[in-house]
Amino acid sequence: VASISDSNYIRIELFKKELTSPEKKRALITMKYSKLFGRDTIIPLINELNIDFSYYSSIIIGGQNFTVCPDTGSSDLWVPGIQCNSSQCGTHNRFDPSKSSTFVPLPNNFSISYGTGTTISGSKGQDTVIFGGISITNLTFGMATVDGFNTIYEEDGILGLTRQTGQLSNPGIIQRIKDLKMLNQTILGFHLARYKLNNTDQSFLNIGGLDVNAYIGNIVYNNLVNQTQFPGTWMISLSDAQVDGVSIGGINSLALIDTGTPNIIGHINQISKIYSMIPGSSSNNGIWSIPCNTTSVVSLVFNNISYKISPTELIRTPNPSGSMCVSEIQGGQYNMWVVGVTFLSNVYSVFDYDNLKIGFAESKF
């Protein structure tokens, strides 16, 4: 157990917007990536549907402004390129090399597949990138001409925050910051606000230190695991899940802690045990629903500490036509869990690049 703080940390306010159509809401079950919008000043929270799903932050590439998802589940930085047409990139901001005096084109194209097979592809380049007021020169990034996310999410692109080398960033932005010794501590602290519980709450990301006013008690750390098989990932051990304090019988699984995933995905057999303990649960074609007014509390157990997920966070949106709501915890045929915003919005989460560990503490807000 430890508590780290640094009054010199950089705080980035995170904003969130939501999906609107029923088709897009269904995509929440399987689609990856949340979104953040941050600046160096405090900006009122924007939340279209008052549901806690996605966050994104601002970034500057070659003097041009973009919004990106700070994603601990991926490696690369990309934004739409000027050659991306409206059918592929919608109304997103697009990088124009002619407007940057520091841009350097790179040979070869890139292609990245995410989550459900969504593909991003285009050309590569290097430029000066500013994130949270920190300037990094000659950072490699992608300029997408094919953007499979453009009709689903509002952010322009993705900012990968894993530690391994990706197709584009070599090394990634945080590793560059670490190598250049720009911070006393190379750590990230996320507070992902829960509008449904507190509509005055505001999301933020700390870089280089932690906000001790954002959490209750001490931060308990978990060492990264399985780095030989999954190098550079934010992977830790998940020992158990509980419903109203009662164990489902142990999990002992790998868990990818992913700020870029909106929900929680676990092995279907273990997920079935959770719903067998939630009264009124039902499954339809593999999609689990729970009563919209459920009071059941699901907890995940890391390093012998049980972290509660508010029943409110288990529900995507109220169902005006019935009493059942699609749950934010779903099953898949994975040998590991993917733990996203549904859990992370309940804790203050810390990603420590220096000591290769992830910490959690109960969120104060």
Side-chain angles (χ1 to χ4, degrees):
V1 179
S3 178
I4 302 175
S5 62
D6 185 345
S7 60
N8 294 319
Y9 65 73
I10 298 166
R11 174 166 164 156
I12 301 175
E13 304 296 330
L14 305 183
F15 282 61
K16 52 187 176 180
K17 295 255 185 181
E18 307 306 331
L19 306 184
T20 55
S21 72
E23 292 78 11
K24 292 178 181 178
K25 291 174 187 174
R26 182 172 177 82
L28 301 174
I29 302 304
T30 54
M31 286 297 289
K32 190 176 175 3
Y33 296 106
S34 61
K35 29 183 189 170
L36 305 100
F37 183 95
R39 297 182 181 175
D40 292 331
T41 56
I42 296 176
I43 302 171
L45 184 65
I46 300 171
N47 187 322
E48 290 180 347
L49 296 179
N50 298 345
I51 54 177
D52 305 327
F53 166 68
S54 59
Y55 310 77
Y56 57 95
S57 69
S58 64
I59 197 168
I60 300 173
I61 305 174
Q64 300 168 54
N65 295 309
F66 299 93
T67 57
V68 290
C69 162
D71 179 18
T72 60
S74 68
S75 307
D76 296 298
L77 167 63
W78 63 266
V79 295
I82 191 65
Q83 294 180 336
C84 192
N85 61 43
S86 59
S87 65
Q88 286 292 343
C89 289
T91 59
H92 292 298
N93 296 311
R94 304 172 202 187
F95 182 82
D96 186 347
S98 68
K99 295 181 179 179
S100 173
S101 61
T102 50
F103 175 77
V104 177
L106 295 178
N108 303 322
N109 293 329
F110 76 95
S111 180
I112 303 172
S113 293
Y114 292 92
T116 58
T118 299
T119 298
I120 307 296
S121 61
S123 59
K124 299 188 290 187
Q126 288 184 338
D127 212 325
T128 298
V129 174
I130 301 175
F131 181 59
I134 302 175
S135 180
I136 306 96
T137 59
N138 301 319
L139 188 72
T140 300
F141 70 104
M143 295 162 285
T145 54
V146 175
D147 178 2
F149 289 123
N150 87 84
T151 61
I152 298 176
Y153 295 106
E154 293 180 356
E155 76 274 15
D156 299 317
I158 301 292
L159 175 62
L161 296 175
T162 57
R163 297 174 299 101
Q164 81 266 37
T165 298
Q167 292 191 43
L168 298 171
S169 303
N170 186 14
I173 187 169
I174 303 299
Q175 188 62 44
R176 281 286 302 276
I177 291 172
K178 175 179 170 62
D179 293 344
L180 294 170
K181 296 179 171 56
M182 292 180 169
L183 300 170
N184 292 331
Q185 303 173 95
T186 315
I187 55 177
L188 305 180
F190 283 89
H191 168 64
L192 304 180
R194 296 181 287 177
Y195 185 94
K196 289 180 291 188
L197 294 177
N198 180 0
N199 62 13
T200 64
D201 195 3
Q202 194 166 23
S203 304
F204 57 84
L205 163 63
N206 299 129
I207 301 179
L210 307 182
D211 186 345
V212 297
N213 296 313
Y215 57 89
I216 298 170
N218 292 319
I219 296 172
V220 178
Y221 285 92
N222 304 261
N223 293 327
L224 300 187
V225 297
N226 238 49
Q227 294 300 292
T228 300
Q229 183 179 2
F230 302 106
T233 59
W234 294 105
M235 191 86 70
I236 60 177
S237 295
L238 172 65
S239 60
D240 198 5
Q242 302 170 342
V243 178
D244 294 327
V246 179
S247 170
I248 70 168
I251 291 178
N252 299 317
S253 174
L254 298 175
L256 179 68
I257 309 303
D258 189 355
T259 59
T261 291
N263 49 9
I264 297 172
I265 303 173
H267 191 278
I268 188 169
N269 293 338
Q270 296 166 342
I271 296 301
S272 296
K273 290 181 181 179
I274 289 176
Y275 288 111
S276 71
M277 300 168 66
I278 299 179
S281 301
S282 64
S283 177
N284 183 14
N285 294 324
I287 302 299
W288 282 98
S289 296
I290 56 179
C292 297
N293 62 352
T294 185
T295 59
S296 295
V297 176
V298 176
S299 303
L300 299 185
V301 181
F302 296 98
N303 199 7
N304 297 317
I305 305 295
S306 178
Y307 299 94
K308 296 178 179 179
I309 300 172
S310 166
T312 304
E313 293 300 295
L314 293 181
I315 302 297
R316 170 48 52 205
T317 54
N319 183 354
S321 62
S323 61
M324 299 295 288
C325 290
V326 173
S327 174
E328 289 286 32
I329 302 178
Q330 296 293 332
Q333 299 295 337
Y334 304 116
N335 292 322
M336 65 179 183
W337 283 50
V338 180
V339 179
V341 169
T342 297
F343 171 78
L344 295 174
S345 60
N346 294 267
V347 298
Y348 184 74
S349 56
V350 181
F351 297 80
D352 188 334
Y353 290 75
D354 295 328
N355 300 296
L356 306 184
K357 57 188 181 180
I358 296 175
F360 303 124
E362 180 184 351
S363 176
K364 183 178 289 187
F365 303 102

